[in-house]
Amino acid sequence: MEHKLPELPYDYNALEPYYDEQTVKIHHDLHHKSYVDGLIKAEQQLAQARQQNDYSLIKHWEKELAFHGSGHILHTLFWENMAPTGQVGPAHELMDQIQNDFGSFDAFKKQFSAASAAVEGSGWAVLGWNPIFQQLVILQAEKHQNLTLWGIAPLLVLDVWEHAYYLKYQNRRAEFISAWWNIVNWQEVDQRFIKAVK
Ligand code: MN
C-alpha cells in the first residue's frame, strides 16, 4: 500500500474559531506529512534489511514504523472526526453504549477531557471500541503508539501534542479541549462505531 497525506475534508479555516486556520494548516501540511514520510522511510529501510539480510538496525526501524505509522493513522482519523460547528451529539446506538459503559454522556465527556488534559508530554486521548471485551474504553496514547490496548478500534481521537494547539492556546491545553468539543464530527464517530461492532 502506498501511503499518502490525505486531503483535509474541509478548508483550513473551516474549524474557526475553535481551531485556527494557521494551526490546522501547519499541523496537516507539515506535521502530519512528516509522519507519512517517516512511515514510508521505515518501510523502505525494512525492505532493504530483508534484501540485504542485515538486521543490525531492526530495533530502530521497527520503532520508527510504530511511531510514524501510528502518527499517520491517528492524524487521518483526527481530521475526519472533526467538522465545522453545528454538530449534534452521537446517534442512539453509540449514545446507548456510552451510557452503558460510562454511566452518562456527561460522565464520558468529563473522563475524556480529563484524560486529554492529563496526557504526560505529547500524546492523544482515544475513545475506542474493544471487540474482545465488547465495551468502549478511553485511553491515553503517549506519543502516538504507547499505552494502547491491543485490538482497539479507535472511534474518536484528540491530539494534545503542543503542535496541535500552541499557536492559539499556548499552554492552555484545557481551553483547547473544551473548544474542541464544538467541532466533533459525531456522524463520523457513529459510522466508525457501527462498523467496529459488526
Ligand atoms: Mn499532531
Side-chain angles (χ1 to χ4, degrees):
M1 173 178 184
E2 195 193 334
H3 305 294
K4 278 198 326 209
L5 180 67
E7 294 275 312
L8 268 190
Y10 34 71
D11 292 336
Y12 292 120
N13 65 359
L15 306 177
E16 293 268 10
Y18 306 106
Y19 210 6
D20 60 295
E21 176 173 5
Q22 195 188 8
T23 304
V24 170
K25 187 167 176 26
I26 294 171
H27 194 178
H28 174 269
D29 293 4
L30 304 180
H31 289 280
H32 186 171
K33 180 164 190 305
S34 76
Y35 301 124
V36 177
D37 293 345
L39 170 61
I40 293 169
K41 178 157 190 197
E43 288 188 342
Q44 285 169 347
Q45 293 296 317
L46 288 164
Q48 197 181 312
R50 288 191 296 275
Q51 213 169 24
Q52 300 176 346
N53 194 28
D54 175 3
Y55 293 103
S56 51
L57 293 175
I58 187 70
K59 206 167 137 182
H60 173 72
W61 292 115
E62 295 288 7
K63 205 168 159 178
E64 288 286 288
L65 178 69
F67 176 80
H68 291 286
S70 298
H72 177 33
I73 291 169
L74 285 173
H75 281 90
T76 302
L77 293 167
F78 179 60
W79 303 124
E80 288 169 0
N81 69 215
M82 294 186 291
T85 165
Q87 299 293 310
V88 291
H92 71 91
E93 291 92 347
L94 178 57
M95 186 61 107
D96 288 352
Q97 195 69 45
I98 285 174
Q99 285 167 349
N100 191 58
D101 293 335
F102 300 104
S104 68
F105 184 64
D106 190 51
F108 152 72
K109 269 182 79 171
K110 280 187 179 151
Q111 185 182 333
F112 191 95
S113 296
S116 310
V119 169
E120 193 172 283
S122 299
W124 298 74
V126 176
L127 169 70
W129 172 249
N130 184 328
I132 299 167
F133 300 162
Q134 292 281 300
Q135 67 185 22
L136 294 168
V137 65
I138 293 168
L139 294 168
Q140 291 179 318
E142 287 182 6
K143 296 193 275 184
H144 306 302
Q145 74 281 27
N146 296 338
L147 303 184
T148 189
L149 271 174
W150 296 112
I152 292 291
L155 306 176
L156 174 66
V157 300
L158 169 57
D159 190 342
V160 289
W161 283 55
E162 282 185 350
H163 72 222
Y165 62 84
Y166 211 84
L167 284 178
K168 181 179 168 82
Y169 294 95
Q170 289 87 47
N171 63 327
R172 303 183 307 278
R173 186 191 278 184
E175 204 178 297
F176 167 59
I177 295 164
S178 124
W180 176 81
W181 286 111
N182 292 290
I183 46 171
V184 171
N185 182 353
W186 285 108
Q187 281 185 334
E188 173 66 21
V189 182
D190 284 334
Q191 282 169 19
R192 288 179 192 167
F193 176 67
I194 304 276
K195 216 171 131 186
V197 294
K198 261 189 191 154

